[in-house]
């Protein structure tokens, strides 16, 4: 005997359990964005069910692959870490802004924040009133707690990365580190759901946005669709590769050398991020290892 868990809805995970509580079935779910386009004027349970039934019968309907418990846990780890990083930036900006009101500024960077916290801890400094010092001391304690928690999240990500064979294979790609490798493994339940690396790159949002008509192709900026977190990690990895290439020379990467010669750095970074995304998909879908280009091997 099986029983459905939760209310059936598009885009949600449908799991069935037996009498012992063990999972017996995982039903694929449809994207709610695609089914919402078929919704009629009024929104209620009846029209929602009608739109879902009509959407899933279409031949070109795309379904959302369900993730495992481990993948969901890893994604939660990434999301929590990203939230704490945003909170850390907000606290740092608040400390700098409050101290600037009293004419106390410091250079941009980690050392500058430490210098400001040293000023706050110095009770002999007459420039800060006691009330302001108490508020800034509380913000400093909050900042240290956030940094400690982010480091703890980093240790969990590294541990998860070392336990995943696919994540370790992706780590060999230049510009792909443990953070991006684990995020890819956790976000993509089935790499073969994408027909090609171009489809995967379009899903991430790293392809140009089209406004073509009358047989004339007109491409604009990137679409920025899909997973914003993955797109930011791919872009950061591409910028790191370009930064390293500018310091140590780009002679061993002729494609990147020619691209940087005719395009700005950030435009080249997006193109390189697109290439990294297609390489990562190929390695995941075909269960392959990273092969260095011929120019690099030489």
């Amino acid at each position: 005997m099986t029983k459905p868990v939760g209310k059936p809805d598009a885009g949600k995970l449908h799991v069935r359990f037996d009498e012992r509580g063990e999972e017996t079935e995982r039903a694929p779910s449809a994207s709610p964005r695609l089914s919402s386009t078929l919704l009629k004027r009024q929104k209620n349970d009846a029209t929602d069910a009608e739109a879902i039934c009509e959407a899933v019968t279409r031949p070109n309907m795309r379904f959302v692959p369900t993730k495992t418990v481990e993948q969901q846990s890893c994604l939660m780890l990434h999301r929590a870490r990203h939230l704490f990083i945003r909170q850390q930036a907000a606290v740092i900006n608040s400390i700098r802004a409050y101290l600037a009101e009293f004419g106390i500024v410091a250079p941009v960077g980690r050392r500058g924040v430490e210098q400001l916290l040293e000023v706050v801890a110095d009770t002999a400094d007459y420039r800060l009133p006691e009330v302001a010092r108490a508020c800034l001391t509380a913000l400093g304690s909050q900042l240290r707690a956030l940094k400690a928690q982010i480091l703890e999240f980093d240790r969990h990500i590294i541990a998860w990365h070392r336990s995943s064979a696919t994540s370790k294979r992706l780590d060999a790609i230049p510009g792909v580190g443990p953070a991006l490798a684990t995020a890819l493994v956790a976000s993509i339940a089935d790499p073969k759901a994408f027909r090609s690396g171009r489809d995967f790159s379009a899903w991430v949002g790293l392809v140009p946005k089209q406004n073509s008509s009358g047989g004339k192709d007109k491409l604009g900026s990137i679409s920025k669709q899909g997973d914003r977190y993955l797109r930011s990690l791919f872009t950061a990895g591409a910028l790191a590769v370009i930064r390293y290439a500018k310091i140590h020379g780009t002679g061993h990467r002729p494609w990147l050398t020619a691209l940087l010669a005719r395009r700005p750095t950030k435009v080249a970074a997006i193109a390189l991020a697109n290439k990294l995304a297609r390489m990562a998909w190929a390695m995941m879908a075909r269960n392959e290892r990273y092969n260095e280009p011929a120019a690099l091997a030489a």
Side-chain angles (χ1 to χ4, degrees):
M1 177 180 180
T2 61
K3 56 180 181 179
V5 177
K7 180 181 178 181
D9 192 9
K12 293 188 177 180
L13 175 64
H14 307 324
V15 185
R16 294 181 181 271
F17 298 90
D18 57 14
E19 296 177 352
R20 296 173 296 178
E22 296 182 357
E23 180 181 324
T24 59
E25 180 184 354
R26 278 177 173 258
S29 55
S31 173
R33 181 177 299 178
L34 297 178
S35 59
S36 63
T37 58
L38 303 174
L39 196 64
K40 295 181 179 179
R41 290 185 179 180
Q42 303 295 331
K43 185 184 186 308
N44 50 51
D45 292 342
T47 55
D48 285 346
E50 182 181 355
I52 293 169
C53 292
E54 184 176 351
V56 297
T57 57
R58 296 198 168 190
N60 59 349
M61 184 64 183
R62 297 192 301 268
F63 292 90
V64 181
T66 56
K67 299 179 179 62
T68 63
V69 176
E70 290 77 13
Q71 287 177 315
Q72 292 284 15
S73 301
C74 186
L75 281 178
M76 186 182 298
L77 182 61
H78 278 272
R79 297 295 185 265
R81 178 181 177 273
H82 189 54
L83 173 63
F84 277 40
I85 288 176
R86 295 202 307 269
Q87 292 178 351
Q88 176 184 248
V91 172
I92 290 175
N93 292 335
S94 297
I95 292 174
R96 286 184 175 275
Y98 292 150
L99 285 172
E101 294 291 337
F102 296 96
I104 305 174
V105 295
V108 178
R110 186 179 303 174
R111 292 185 178 181
V113 178
E114 296 297 333
Q115 292 176 10
L116 293 177
L117 293 178
E118 290 176 1
V119 173
V120 174
D122 187 6
T123 56
D125 196 327
Y126 61 90
R127 293 176 293 178
L128 284 178
E130 290 303 321
V131 176
R133 191 183 303 277
C135 296
L136 291 167
T137 301
L139 287 174
S141 301
Q142 181 70 16
L143 179 60
R144 285 188 287 270
L146 288 171
K147 287 184 176 180
Q149 188 60 60
I150 291 172
L151 289 176
E152 184 65 24
F153 283 146
D154 289 339
R155 285 192 284 266
H156 284 296
I157 290 176
I158 292 296
W160 202 91
H161 166 69
R162 291 173 178 172
S163 64
S164 173
T166 305
S167 180
K168 288 190 290 186
R169 283 191 291 106
L170 292 175
D171 192 19
I173 304 175
V176 177
L180 178 53
T182 52
L184 283 171
V185 175
S187 300
I188 304 170
D190 183 16
K192 295 182 179 179
F194 303 96
R195 292 179 299 178
S196 64
R198 288 186 176 183
D199 287 357
F200 172 69
S201 183
W203 177 75
V204 177
L206 290 170
V207 299
K209 186 163 46 178
Q210 292 196 28
N211 190 18
S212 305
S213 178
K216 296 182 179 180
D217 295 335
K218 185 178 180 181
L219 302 179
S221 58
I222 59 174
S223 63
K224 294 186 178 180
Q225 297 179 354
D227 197 320
R228 179 184 298 179
Y229 182 67
L230 285 179
R231 187 168 58 254
S232 65
L233 290 178
F234 272 119
T235 306
L239 286 171
V241 173
I242 292 175
R243 192 180 306 113
Y244 181 86
K246 285 185 176 181
I247 295 174
H248 300 278
T250 59
H252 58 290
R253 297 181 185 276
W255 178 83
L256 184 58
T257 304
L259 185 62
L260 290 173
R262 65 179 189 272
R263 291 289 185 269
T265 300
K266 291 187 177 180
V267 176
I270 296 299
L272 181 57
N274 186 358
K275 190 172 184 178
L276 295 178
R278 287 183 278 128
M279 292 166 59
W281 174 85
M283 292 175 60
M284 296 178 66
R286 302 168 188 168
N287 198 19
E288 296 176 349
R289 295 187 176 273
Y290 174 71
N291 296 321
E292 291 186 352
L296 267 177

